Amino acid sequence: MTSLGGVEMVDWNLAVATATRLVKPGPEVSREEAREAVAELRRHASAAEEHVRGFTRMTPDGAADTPVLVVDRPGWIRANVAGFRELLSPLLGKMQARRGGGPGNAVLGAVGGKVTGVEVGMLLSFMASRVLGQYETFAPPTRDLPGAPGEGGGRLLLVAPNIVHVERELDVDPHDFRLWVCLHEETHRTQFSAVPWLRDHIEGEIHAFLGETDIEPSALLERLREAFQSLAGSGRPEPGDDGEQDGGRSFVELVQTPAQREVLGRITAVMSLLEGHADYVMDGVGPQVVPSVAEIREKFQKRRAAGAGRLDQALRRLLGLDAKLRQYRDGERFVRAVVEEVGMDGFNRVWTSPNTLPTKAEIAEPAEWIARVHRKAD
């Protein structure tokens, strides 16, 4: 982590400690049940690899070298702190340099780093009990959390206690549900291992987003003030409100600059593609290998849309997680429409280069992507 005078902008160790202390314990399982769940998830992850490759017609390069790790909630927290630390290092280093290294700033930096560390830890403790799986793209490998060899790294995380919790909550067949989850997550693993440029492209977009961050404290505080006023005064959305007004936007969106919103539009389109593609593959493969897939999908969709309560819904809105739910829906609709029109091989042109990725407008209007990528090429 870039630091000046030994003071970091974020106390990452405190973030890990806070998150692991606050995260809720997982479901009650015996030691034998835990061992069986971990072993089965590993078997399903291996089986899902073959199913996903056959359905998508994508051939990963070196996918066998990308590890699949079955982790608990603290393990997921440690992996994501490492990823945040890697991604945010250039931005925080720039902010640290702007602040300067005088004695007073060093004291403020130490206090601020701990405050921010606690805040990051609180956010991660909330998320750690909700994530079922994740393809971890950016975190460097460690002894406890190995990654794929080479600069790109990469590893697939399956969060065993969360998967067990949800399968019990939905009252579905646990063996079917575990394979169904693995199909989704293995699709993400295949996307990144079969499309070598994808990781660098997304990382470049994230760095572009962070590079546009307004690091002047006065301007940032002003935008924060406006954001909190908007959130506090928004109240319940009116019937028919599509969430595009400020009252329906997340805290993250409200503190962005115009340049960042442009970059975010491109990132949103890519993430919608990746999530929608994973959902499409999961449902496409599911009927052949997951007998109760229809029941699982119906119950899971209801759970995904409803949230766990008022507090959960408020936090989802504040953090922009409702936007992620739209990514699943809109992206899956885009993939389905394109495959129906030009077939799977035609859809796979999307992975040719960054220029063939859909724009945010094309996610909403798949015919526009088909016209741009297929008809012009033909």
Side-chain angles (χ1 to χ4, degrees), residues 17-87:
T18 300
T20 53
R21 185 176 68 252
L22 295 178
V23 70
K24 296 179 180 179
E28 291 187 9
V29 295
S30 68
R31 184 170 298 180
E32 183 61 28
E33 287 174 324
R35 280 199 296 263
E36 289 178 358
V38 170
E40 184 172 36
L41 285 170
R42 287 175 176 155
R43 291 196 302 270
H44 283 333
S46 178
E49 179 180 306
E50 181 178 352
H51 295 315
V52 170
R53 288 189 190 190
F55 184 81
T56 63
R57 303 175 193 173
M58 299 173 70
T59 305
D61 295 327
D65 295 327
T66 305
V68 178
L69 307 179
V70 182
V71 299
D72 56 11
R73 290 170 179 177
W76 181 88
I77 289 167
R78 289 193 297 272
N80 277 266
V81 166
F84 284 148
R85 186 171 184 167
E86 185 78 8
L87 272 181

Side-chain angles (χ1 to χ4, degrees), residues 47-372:
E49 179 180 306
E50 181 178 352
H51 295 315
V52 170
R53 288 189 190 190
F55 184 81
T56 63
R57 303 175 193 173
M58 299 173 70
T59 305
D61 295 327
D65 295 327
T66 305
V68 178
L69 307 179
V70 182
V71 299
D72 56 11
R73 290 170 179 177
W76 181 88
I77 289 167
R78 289 193 297 272
N80 277 266
V81 166
F84 284 148
R85 186 171 184 167
E86 185 78 8
L87 272 181
L88 296 177
S89 179
L91 171 65
L92 296 182
K94 183 167 65 172
M95 295 179 68
Q96 183 80 29
R98 173 70 66 89
R99 188 174 61 194
N105 285 331
V107 173
L108 289 174
V111 174
K114 293 196 177 298
V115 170
T116 309
V118 170
E119 291 171 342
V120 171
M122 293 173 66
L123 167 62
L124 288 173
S125 71
F126 171 77
M127 297 296 298
S129 61
R130 287 158 174 78
V131 176
L132 302 182
Q134 173 186 359
Y135 187 79
E136 225 300 321
T137 314
F138 302 109
T142 65
R143 184 179 62 182
D144 296 331
L145 294 166
E151 186 178 347
R155 56 189 171 223
L156 179 60
L157 306 178
L158 297 171
V159 190
N162 295 351
I163 293 173
V164 172
H165 171 76
V166 173
E167 70 193 25
R168 290 179 176 180
E169 183 182 82
L170 297 180
D171 190 23
V172 294
D173 183 282
H175 310 293
D176 284 2
F177 183 75
R178 292 168 192 178
L179 177 55
W180 189 71
V181 171
C182 287
L183 290 171
H184 182 101
E185 302 306 332
E186 174 58 34
T187 303
H188 288 315
R189 181 169 174 250
T190 298
Q191 290 163 348
F192 282 93
S193 55
V195 186
W197 53 264
L198 184 59
R199 177 194 181 278
D200 290 341
H201 173 72
I202 293 177
E203 184 177 26
E205 292 284 47
I206 292 173
H207 284 167
F209 179 86
L210 296 176
E212 292 293 338
T213 299
D214 188 346
I215 58 175
E216 288 294 337
S218 60
L220 180 59
L221 287 173
E222 177 63 20
R223 286 219 303 280
L224 289 173
R225 182 184 63 80
E226 293 174 357
F228 282 119
Q229 284 181 347
S230 178
L231 288 169
S234 60
R236 182 181 297 274
E238 294 297 324
D241 185 0
D242 60 5
E244 291 301 319
Q245 303 301 317
D246 279 357
R249 287 159 56 191
S250 71
F251 170 78
V252 176
E253 291 173 305
L254 286 165
V255 298
Q256 290 165 10
T257 65
Q260 284 179 310
R261 292 193 185 104
E262 182 178 342
V263 178
L264 185 65
R266 299 196 298 267
I267 295 175
T268 298
V270 175
M271 300 314 295
S272 296
L273 170 69
L274 299 181
E275 296 294 357
H277 183 234
D279 264 16
Y280 178 80
V281 172
M282 180 170 58
D283 288 345
V285 175
Q288 285 73 48
V289 298
V290 182
S292 59
V293 64
E295 177 192 2
I296 291 172
R297 164 57 79 183
E298 180 182 3
K299 290 182 175 180
F300 191 78
Q301 288 286 57
K302 289 180 179 178
R303 179 185 185 275
R304 180 187 274 177
R310 287 187 177 182
L311 177 59
D312 184 79
Q313 291 172 0
L315 286 170
R316 290 196 325 182
R317 179 183 171 197
L318 185 67
L319 299 173
L321 300 182
D322 283 338
K324 185 172 179 63
L325 299 183
R326 291 194 297 270
Q327 289 174 10
Y328 288 104
R329 181 193 65 210
D330 297 344
E332 195 275 341
R333 186 185 299 125
F334 169 84
V335 175
R336 184 173 302 279
V338 172
V339 172
E340 288 177 355
E341 181 68 21
V342 298
M344 183 62 74
D345 291 335
F347 165 78
N348 281 340
R349 287 194 190 182
V350 78
W351 312 116
T352 304
S353 76
N355 293 329
T356 56
L357 290 173
T359 64
K360 191 175 180 180
E362 288 170 343
I363 289 288
E365 296 292 342
E368 294 183 5
W369 180 87
I370 295 173
R372 177 172 68 86

